[in-house]
Amino acid sequence: MQQRFVPVRVREGYSVVIGSGLLAKSGQLLREKLGLCRLAVVTDSNVEKLYLPQLLSSLAEAGFDACSFVFPAGEANKRLNILSGMLEFFAEQHITRTDCVVALGGGVTGDMAGFAAGCYQRGIQYVQIPTTLLAAVDSSVGGKTAVDLAAGKNLTGLFHQPSLVVCDTDTFATLAPDEFANGAAEAIKTAILDDGALFSLFESGETADHMTDIVERCVAFKATIVEADETETGVRKTLNLGHTAGHAIERCSDYSIPHGHAVAIGLAIIARASERLGWATEPIARRVEHALMRNGLPTTTSFTPEALAEAALSDKKRAGGQITLVVPKKIGECVLADLPMEQLLDVFRAGMVAGA
Ligand SMILES: NC(=O)c1ccc[n+]([C@@H]2O[C@H](COP(=O)([O-])OP(=O)(O)OC[C@H]3O[C@@H](n4cnc5c(N)ncnc54)[C@H](O)[C@@H]3O)[C@@H](O)[C@H]2O)c1
Ligand SMILES: [Zn+2]
């Protein structure tokens, strides 16, 4: 069985274990890391049916006493009322400071369970067991946790690093194609930032046989960035590649376009703009478009550049009269560029038309 360990060297440090068949071994992996304590497993109503019984039996085999909190699946439930129910549940179950929360599921589960662990009794440990490609390559590493407010997504949360991440790549087999594509968009983003070999896998469309490699490379890349900039004041901003336009598209669509799909369009826009505005040092736009389409992702939008620029400039990430854009120069090299806000419209205009 392929099994990889990627270290994340922040504060106490933790490992991301990646491979096939790991759910059945998760009890043993948690036991090695945590010793014996009580576990509060958090999962959503979809993942409960698919993977909770297997996880609970592996935990019981390893000698753990575990209780589980299940909430209704979906981003609409990443809210304070569910978080509050979770915290009350921990208290009712007499979870103490030396116990541990286990997040079994996608990014919604991870963000909420991590937040709950970070504030319950002023912070207890948690373990991530991501079951979506998006959670595996993105949200389960880095320690960002949050819930949505009526005023916007992820507006309340904290940084709280997990003690361990266990990623069983077999779980991706049950993902709906659109959910898989959502994660692929973030992985393609990483490939554009990091390295040609990873990008080639997406260009060829041969991802199914290389899931462990893909997750390992994405996690290793995110780990180096998070290690350098744990709380996102500098280099971690490069992870926002494709996200300025992506967030604008999400907002313009009133969040009916899923995040990964919006990011895919954002990646295509910034790649085309970079090429047309002379920032790229080699042709990249066609390659980026091709890799995205090969993996079931869109590359164009019917929103106007004006609408996108307006939506982007109400973004929380702007500072003063400047906006920081992540600009791809070639596959494997991106730079941060501070632009006057008025120039964003020109960038979006340059990035709008595919294949021109
Ligand atoms: N903390 C971070 O750094 C970070 C980074 C990126 C995204 N996020 C957050 O992550 C969330 C999106 O994550 P997501 O796409 O995983 O969403 P999600 O957790 O809602 O999962 C998507 C859907 O897939 C289902 N599902 C999960 N695993 C499955 C499996 N193995 N088989 C079948 N169905 C499965 C879920 O029940 C859900 O319906 C957003 O809330 C976003 O803000 C956080
Ligand atoms: Zn993203």
Side-chain angles (χ1 to χ4, degrees), residues 134 138 186 189 239 243 247 259 263:
L134 183 124
D138 194 353
E186 298 286 359
K189 173 199 79 176
L239 296 174
H243 280 58
H247 284 148
H259 179 72
V263 167

Side-chain angles (χ1 to χ4, degrees), residues 44 46-47 50-51 73 75 78 106-109 111 131-132 134 138-139 144 153-154 171 174-175 179 222:
D44 75 23
N46 294 333
V47 179
L50 292 164
Y51 301 113
E75 178 77 28
K78 203 175 98 170
V108 166
T109 303
D111 275 12
T131 62
T132 65
L134 183 124
D138 194 353
S139 61
K144 282 211 256 176
K153 277 192 64 172
N154 296 324
T171 59
T174 50
L175 286 173
E179 296 296 353
K222 189 160 180 188

Side-chain angles (χ1 to χ4, degrees), residues 192 241 267 270-271 274 279-280 284 326-330 333-335:
I192 299 171
L241 176 67
L267 291 171
I270 196 66
S274 180
W279 294 329
I284 50 168
V326 191
V327 175
K329 294 183 82 72
K330 59 180 187 182
E333 186 189 344
C334 298
V335 293

Side-chain angles (χ1 to χ4, degrees), residues 254-265:
D254 214 5
Y255 295 90
S256 64
I257 298 179
H259 179 72
H261 290 62
V263 167
I265 302 166

Side-chain angles (χ1 to χ4, degrees), residues 221-284:
F221 179 77
K222 189 160 180 188
T224 57
I225 300 274
V226 168
E227 283 159 11
D229 181 12
E230 199 177 331
T231 53
E232 196 168 327
T233 47
V235 64
R236 190 159 171 175
K237 287 186 187 145
T238 58
L239 296 174
N240 288 330
L241 176 67
H243 280 58
T244 305
H247 284 148
I249 290 164
E250 281 184 285
R251 213 168 275 158
C252 287
S253 76
D254 214 5
Y255 295 90
S256 64
I257 298 179
H259 179 72
H261 290 62
V263 167
I265 302 166
L267 291 171
I269 289 176
I270 196 66
R272 290 190 290 256
S274 180
E275 199 171 310
R276 286 186 191 134
L277 296 171
W279 294 329
T281 54
E282 63 180 38
I284 50 168

Side-chain angles (χ1 to χ4, degrees), residues 75-331:
E75 178 77 28
N77 296 305
K78 203 175 98 170
R79 300 300 290 258
L80 282 168
N81 61 321
I82 302 283
L83 182 81
S84 150
M86 206 180 284
L87 293 168
E88 295 290 354
F89 173 81
F90 295 168
E92 280 158 21
Q93 295 292 324
H94 308 292
I95 296 295
T96 68
R97 283 194 55 78
T98 52
D99 294 331
C100 183
V101 173
V102 179
L104 172 72
V108 166
T109 303
D111 275 12
M112 276 202 297
F115 189 177
C119 60
Y120 181 71
Q121 300 202 357
R122 299 187 187 84
I124 68 171
Q125 298 189 87
Y126 77 116
V127 170
Q128 295 266 23
I129 306 186
T131 62
T132 65
L133 180 58
L134 183 124
V137 300
D138 194 353
S139 61
S140 67
V141 179
K144 282 211 256 176
T145 76
V147 296
D148 302 334
L149 299 182
K153 277 192 64 172
N154 296 324
L155 282 184
T156 294
L158 39 79
F159 282 95
H160 185 45
Q161 301 290 346
S163 299
L164 176 70
V165 182
V166 179
C167 174
D168 183 342
T169 52
D170 296 345
T171 59
F172 307 153
T174 50
L175 286 173
D178 263 1
E179 296 296 353
F180 186 84
N182 247 339
E186 298 286 359
I188 291 170
K189 173 199 79 176
T190 303
I192 299 171
L193 289 165
D194 182 31
D195 131 287
L198 181 58
F199 192 80
S200 301
L201 283 178
F202 288 102
E203 276 180 313
S204 68
E206 287 165 14
T207 53
D209 295 337
H210 294 94
M211 274 340 295
T212 300
D213 295 329
I214 289 171
V215 175
E216 182 187 20
R217 279 222 68 105
C218 289
V219 167
F221 179 77
K222 189 160 180 188
T224 57
I225 300 274
V226 168
E227 283 159 11
D229 181 12
E230 199 177 331
T231 53
E232 196 168 327
T233 47
V235 64
R236 190 159 171 175
K237 287 186 187 145
T238 58
L239 296 174
N240 288 330
L241 176 67
H243 280 58
T244 305
H247 284 148
I249 290 164
E250 281 184 285
R251 213 168 275 158
C252 287
S253 76
D254 214 5
Y255 295 90
S256 64
I257 298 179
H259 179 72
H261 290 62
V263 167
I265 302 166
L267 291 171
I269 289 176
I270 196 66
R272 290 190 290 256
S274 180
E275 199 171 310
R276 286 186 191 134
L277 296 171
W279 294 329
T281 54
E282 63 180 38
I284 50 168
R286 295 266 179 159
R287 287 185 70 191
V288 170
E289 287 171 351
H290 175 75
L292 294 167
M293 288 189 290
R294 195 79 212 245
N295 291 279
L297 289 158
T299 59
T300 56
T301 175
S302 54
F303 296 116
T304 63
E306 288 76 12
L308 294 185
E310 199 184 313
L313 293 176
S314 61
D315 195 309
K316 61 181 153 83
K317 289 196 171 79
R318 89 193 139 107
Q322 300 264 309
I323 183 153
T324 306
L325 273 190
V326 191
V327 175
K329 294 183 82 72
K330 59 180 187 182
I331 302 302

